[in-house]
Amino acid sequence: MTEKKLILGLALHDGSGALNNAWRAPQVNPENYANFEANIRYAQAAERGKFAFLFIPDFPAVRGDIEHGGVRNIIDPMIALTAISQATSRIGFVATGSTSFQEPFNHARQFKALDVLSHGRAGWNAVTTSDPAVAANYGKPVAERSERYQRAHESIQIVQALWGSWQKEAWIKNQASGQYIDSSKLQPVNLQGKYVASRGPLAIPPSEQGQPVIFSSGGPSPHLLALAGRYASGFIGEVWTIEDGRAQRAMVRRAAEEAGRDPDDIKFFAGIMPTVAPSVREGLDRRISILGDTLKAQVPQLANMLGVQIDRRRLDEPLTTEQLSGAYPSRDPRSGIALDVARQGWTVRDILAHGVIDYHPTVVGPAALHADHIQEWFEAEAADGFWLSPDIFEDGVDAFVDEVVPVLQQRGIYPSDYIGTTLRENLGVAEQYGLDPRVVGTED
Amino acid sequence: MNSEHMILGVALTNSFGAHPAAWRLPHVNPEAYTDIDVTVEHARTAERGGLQFVFIADRLFLHGDLAVSNPLFNMDPIVTLSAVAQATERIGLAGTASTSFFEPYLLARQLKTLDVISNGRVGWNAVPSFEPDAFANFGKEPPAREKKYERLHEVMQVVQALWGSWGYEAGKPDQQEGTPIRHM
Amino acid sequence: MKPVNLYGTQVGTRGPLPVPPSEQGQPVIIMPASSGYGLQAAVMYADIIIAMPSSIEEGRAQRQAIRQAAAQAGRNPEDIKYLAFAGFTTGDTERDALDTRLALDAHTDIRGPLARLSAYLGLQQQLTRPDEPLTTAQLTAVQAHPQDARSIRAVELAHAGWSPRDILAHAVFDPYPSVVGTAGQVADHLQEWFKAGAADGFMLNFDDFSTEIGNFVEQVIPVLRERGIFHNTYEGKTLRDHVGVPPQYGVNPRITTGPQ
């Protein structure tokens, strides 16, 4: 048994990058939101770095300031990943699909079709939808939480049952005898829930990994943990500190155990938003040149996080000794990091350029710093792996793959090649076909 | 397109052919049902001949007797065409999607995404489902004919309205000005 | 970009959908040929209508009916393309093509088709010798059903001296008109229908994709081009260009009924 290795995934969402204003960076083709070749290039770079999966978060509605912030989540995840599957051979695909507005038969069919035609590389990030803007696009109100999660449990069970309805030994395909399948091994599922139902069967045979891998994502509410514990093999987390990561990973593992599963069958992924540059200074400058005025707008939030007054006109000065001595971390989980950076003596602009208000921990600087961050979290059991949102895809993916990945490999914590050909193998999670016999009953 | 010229589309509805015994021919790969490379090759051959489009019909239930023959329909037309789009350049990509089961927002988004990534080559065969077997897969009973067509009209109009909601004039992104699209 | 806010009694949406126009604006709409509600919907929305007429006469009549309904719905009839299903098996000779089909038919039970053929030929007594051409007595007895294109074709083939197995191998019972023969025969069928105004084009079906699409492309397409009835190359880039239907973006303004 070799030592446990960490797993990497890449988030793909808008063709430009995770940094605010990334679409305005000079190296980015601003039409990338509709330019598929660019996304394929990023996917191929991630595959060169032996990433286990691409992850498409999804928010099927327009939000935020599209006039200046750019548009995200344009491309339908299923269509995008199917297209990318044709230009890659090892990397897996995790597409987000909501159980709140889609029919299980449709999810079962599209995800298994992608799984089969990509030779066992598909994953489904099964989410519930609580956002009124998304619900409105489906012409419906947001359902109550208990109903959303009940529907999610029913949907996932029906999907998995449909996946298993073409049994593994069903496909005879004997050209001489003329027997195509053994009909006794392709039978209806006849599942009737409170909110969704399906008769089946689904006429799609097993892929090389049997069936798609299920992911969960979000904050660890009891409802989400109950869902993830039963069905998910991957959990896309949102954590800012090692302590958060350890706690959430433990919760997710406990949830799996409570559902009757092996806790190692669910992998916890922490987010990271890397800017790889020869030095910290160059990394900060790269970010400042793109973020521009949006940094100034973050000053009040930083002030709140540290509990101090900060003058917007003194962006290029460090916090004074007085300010620092009065500063304390607020309840915002990012404030501890912000305070650490402030105490290192960076100017206000540089503090913000460190990404202290980003959605995930940000590391800015040379490869070794990124490797240190990842190794520290990994060895502290704060994550089984990481999902990356690079600052700018166009050169950020290459920089991570070509500079950080070799360091991780040298340190012996990251595989030098793909473990197998399927997503399941590369995640190191158990075989599954159809419903998991260990998981019985539904929530409520 | 010149009206002296006929339009030719080729039905690639399953991976083998229209004859129920096609999968048994010695030169045919009996696994073609799941092998996307086979369908890609058929589409490329049709493209070489200048055929205007490939067409993938659909049924939302198990159709035909699989004991003796392959499924009559494709694993999933939209997913299959997304893969074919990457391997072809000119030929049109037409597929069936029922108006009876999917939310119009989902249909609009998948079909237009496919149209964008294929550089404008998509056709949507919009059909209302009528078979009780299809409705059973969605836990439903078939509605009366007029309700099926009422839904079809609503779906067509909602889908096309969504397609038109990013106006042509919304424009292209301007990195200097920082305005990717304009309100209209 | 602006919201849609369209709600019917069954579905609805707020929108907008953040996907930019494609090179053809938005997908081309295809619908099956139908009557009643289906015809009404097709002439409202469809750019292409796919049909399964069994004869030139039926194709002409249905195409005309659709064009008329389109005009009544305020559309230019030229903007709707009517495509007819057709099936083809090509060989160097008609015999070669039949043998290709027979290799497939060999895997199916001939008894059912033979009984059906007997009925379509108007014979009282069932055919029993699939490999022998019909006897003079049988040929005297055959009688086509005048309204049935398949029956007429089966009788023609019987009179031409084909055995029952070969008549069946001519694909007389395929669900759409099919030609099993040389590239010239295939091209003749397409040309005849097209020139008669029975279709603007065809939905091609092949028994065995792995060989027949290539045969069609290599053998039939050059004949159609020589005859000036098929384009030499793609003139444009998009499906809309390829089939010659007008631009459309969003809902066509002529559509005023339905959900408001």
Side-chain angles (χ1 to χ4, degrees), chain A residues 86-223:
Chain A
Q86 297 304 293
T88 53
S89 60
R90 286 288 181 273
I91 197 163
F93 310 109
V94 181
T96 300
S98 170
T99 56
S100 300
F101 302 110
Q102 273 225 48
E103 292 289 341
F105 189 82
N106 194 33
H107 265 143
R109 187 182 190 203
Q110 289 204 323
F111 276 95
K112 202 172 183 199
L114 172 59
D115 199 33
V116 163
L117 68 79
S118 67
H119 302 288
R121 295 190 282 146
W124 171 30
N125 178 34
V127 301
T128 66
T129 301
S130 58
D131 193 294
V134 177
N137 280 338
Y138 293 104
K140 292 183 178 152
V142 174
E144 288 204 25
R145 177 134 83 171
S146 60
E147 178 180 332
R148 287 202 314 273
Y149 277 92
Q150 177 62 29
R151 187 178 157 123
H153 280 274
E154 291 177 11
S155 295
I156 295 174
Q157 288 183 20
I158 291 172
V159 166
Q160 291 190 330
L162 287 167
W163 284 344
S165 65
W166 176 310
Q167 293 174 33
K168 279 191 165 170
E169 307 75 25
W171 204 7
I172 311 290
K173 51 180 186 285
N174 184 326
Q175 287 172 307
S177 76
Q179 187 178 14
Y180 191 76
I181 71 154
D182 175 348
S183 303
S184 71
K185 292 178 175 155
L186 178 62
Q187 291 295 321
V189 300
N190 286 321
L191 284 175
Q192 174 73 53
K194 190 169 169 197
Y195 299 104
V196 285
S198 189
R199 187 169 76 188
L202 177 69
I204 303 182
S207 75
E208 283 81 345
Q209 68 171 359
Q211 69 191 24
V213 179
I214 291 182
F215 276 65
S216 279
S217 58
S221 70
H223 283 85

Side-chain angles (χ1 to χ4, degrees), chain A residues 33-34 62 66 71 74 133 136-139, chain C residues 1 7 12-16 18-20 107:
Chain A
Y33 56 75
V62 172
I66 53 168
V71 188
I74 283 197
N137 280 338
Y138 293 104
Chain C
M1 206 192 293
Y7 300 93
T13 195
R14 186 177 78 181
V19 182
H107 292 299

Side-chain angles (χ1 to χ4, degrees), chain B residues 115-170:
Chain B
D115 202 31
V116 167
I117 71 164
S118 67
N119 299 316
R121 294 189 284 142
V122 171
W124 172 29
N125 185 36
V127 294
S129 295
F130 59 90
E131 312 91 336
D133 286 341
F135 283 87
N137 280 338
F138 296 86
K140 297 188 169 92
E141 298 280 336
R145 187 167 158 88
E146 63 267 23
K147 293 302 278 182
K148 269 183 332 214
Y149 277 96
E150 178 187 76
R151 183 174 167 120
L152 176 133
H153 282 283
E154 291 182 9
V155 168
M156 294 311 295
Q157 292 176 35
V158 170
V159 165
Q160 294 196 329
L162 284 167
W163 283 347
S165 65
W166 177 310
Y168 252 116
E169 300 77 9

Side-chain angles (χ1 to χ4, degrees), chain B:
Chain B
M1 181 63 206
N2 162 344
S3 62
E4 298 300 304
H5 291 158
M6 62 176 66
I7 298 163
L8 296 177
V10 55
L12 291 184
T13 290
N14 61 56
S15 319
F16 301 97
H19 199 287
W23 72 277
R24 298 184 63 180
L25 293 168
H27 59 264
V28 169
N29 172 2
E31 294 187 15
Y33 179 53
T34 56
D35 188 346
I36 187 67
D37 295 345
V38 171
T39 298
V40 162
E41 194 50 43
H42 297 154
R44 281 183 170 159
T45 304
E47 186 171 61
R48 186 154 48 81
L51 270 56
Q52 278 84 351
F53 64 97
V54 297
F55 177 75
I56 300 185
D58 197 27
R59 289 281 189 282
L60 286 158
F61 60 97
L62 179 55
H63 199 276
D65 182 2
L66 296 200
V68 296
S69 189
N70 53 280
L72 293 180
F73 295 93
N74 184 277
M75 286 196 296
D76 185 275
I78 303 297
V79 169
T80 297
L81 290 172
S82 305
V84 172
Q86 285 306 297
T88 52
E89 286 175 3
R90 302 299 281 276
I91 195 161
L93 309 166
T96 297
S98 171
T99 57
S100 299
F101 306 110
F102 312 119
E103 291 295 339
Y105 191 88
L106 177 80
L107 280 171
R109 187 178 187 213
Q110 289 205 331
L111 289 163
K112 201 174 181 199
T113 298
L114 182 54
D115 202 31
V116 167
I117 71 164
S118 67
N119 299 316
R121 294 189 284 142
V122 171
W124 172 29
N125 185 36
V127 294
S129 295
F130 59 90
E131 312 91 336
D133 286 341
F135 283 87
N137 280 338
F138 296 86
K140 297 188 169 92
E141 298 280 336
R145 187 167 158 88
E146 63 267 23
K147 293 302 278 182
K148 269 183 332 214
Y149 277 96
E150 178 187 76
R151 183 174 167 120
L152 176 133
H153 282 283
E154 291 182 9
V155 168
M156 294 311 295
Q157 292 176 35
V158 170
V159 165
Q160 294 196 329
L162 284 167
W163 283 347
S165 65
W166 177 310
Y168 252 116
E169 300 77 9
K172 301 211 164 162
D174 177 343
Q175 283 169 303
Q176 300 307 315
E177 288 294 318
T179 303
I181 43 179
R182 280 204 317 272
H183 283 292
M184 292 178 51

